[in-house]
Amino acid sequence: MTRWRWRTLVLLIYVVIGIYVAWVYDYITPGLLRDVAEALLAVFLWFLVLLGIDLHIGR
């Protein structure tokens, strides 16, 4: 069981470093984060979209 925890920790650190590097080199921008957040809201709250509720952030 400990082996899986180490693999998970290493994977998490790898992803966090990747996100940091992408942010520093402008592959991830605030606009991209907003668009992703809007898309995730629309996916998970699709019934609200069908009811006509606007899930756009900051517009």
Side-chain angles (χ1 to χ4, degrees):
M1 196 66 160
T2 305
R3 179 181 292 169
W4 291 107
R5 288 184 185 176
W6 278 108
R7 286 183 184 178
T8 303
L9 180 63
V10 168
L11 180 64
L12 180 65
I13 291 171
Y14 183 84
V15 169
V16 167
I17 291 172
I19 290 171
Y20 174 75
V21 170
W23 182 270
V24 168
Y25 285 94
D26 292 328
Y27 287 102
I28 297 175
T29 61
L32 175 67
L33 294 177
R34 187 187 67 235
D35 292 342
V36 169
E38 287 176 357
L40 288 174
L41 281 173
V43 167
F44 290 111
L45 301 175
W46 58 267
F47 54 90
L48 294 178
V49 175
L50 293 177
L51 292 174
I53 296 175
D54 186 15
L55 296 177
H56 291 287
I57 300 172
R59 293 185 197 170

